[in-house]
Amino acid sequence: MYRGAAALLPAAMAASNAALSPANAGTVRLKTPEDYAALLPDTLPEAFTARELSKALGLPQSQGSAAANVLVHMGVIRQTGTRGRAFVYTIVKEE
């Protein structure tokens, strides 16, 4: 269902968080929620919308909701309310 989710996240950010060898240059494998969480910038506010997420990740605004859905599915963020018509999300804290 979420195959190719890594394509929603900027390659430059993903590359900075994964060791790339010549054999898999340009390929990043995101398997665990921690892999996805490592891509979230520290500048993201505590509560944020998909629009704010897309801006923080450098994604087109149209991909913000898709990225948020992937992150919710992986258990990295959680929907906590609404702001106007937009869903509000927070990062799930490690326990």
Side-chain angles (χ1 to χ4, degrees):
M1 181 172 181
Y2 292 100
R3 194 171 70 195
L8 296 175
L9 303 172
M13 289 178 64
S16 69
N17 289 294
L20 299 178
S21 69
N24 65 358
T27 301
V28 177
R29 297 198 190 279
L30 302 172
K31 295 181 180 181
T32 66
E34 292 79 16
D35 293 340
Y36 285 83
L39 299 176
L40 295 176
D42 295 333
T43 58
L44 202 57
E46 186 174 332
F48 54 90
T49 64
R51 174 183 276 184
E52 293 165 331
L53 175 64
S54 64
K55 189 173 185 176
L57 292 174
L59 294 173
Q61 192 173 342
S62 61
Q63 292 181 348
S65 293
N69 287 337
V70 169
L71 294 169
V72 167
H73 177 75
M74 292 300 297
V76 175
I77 65 174
R78 164 181 340 177
Q79 182 184 336
T80 56
T82 59
R83 188 182 307 149
R85 292 179 29 179
F87 292 123
V88 174
Y89 302 94
T90 58
I91 298 173
V92 174
K93 303 296 182 193
E94 293 181 29
E95 296 177 14

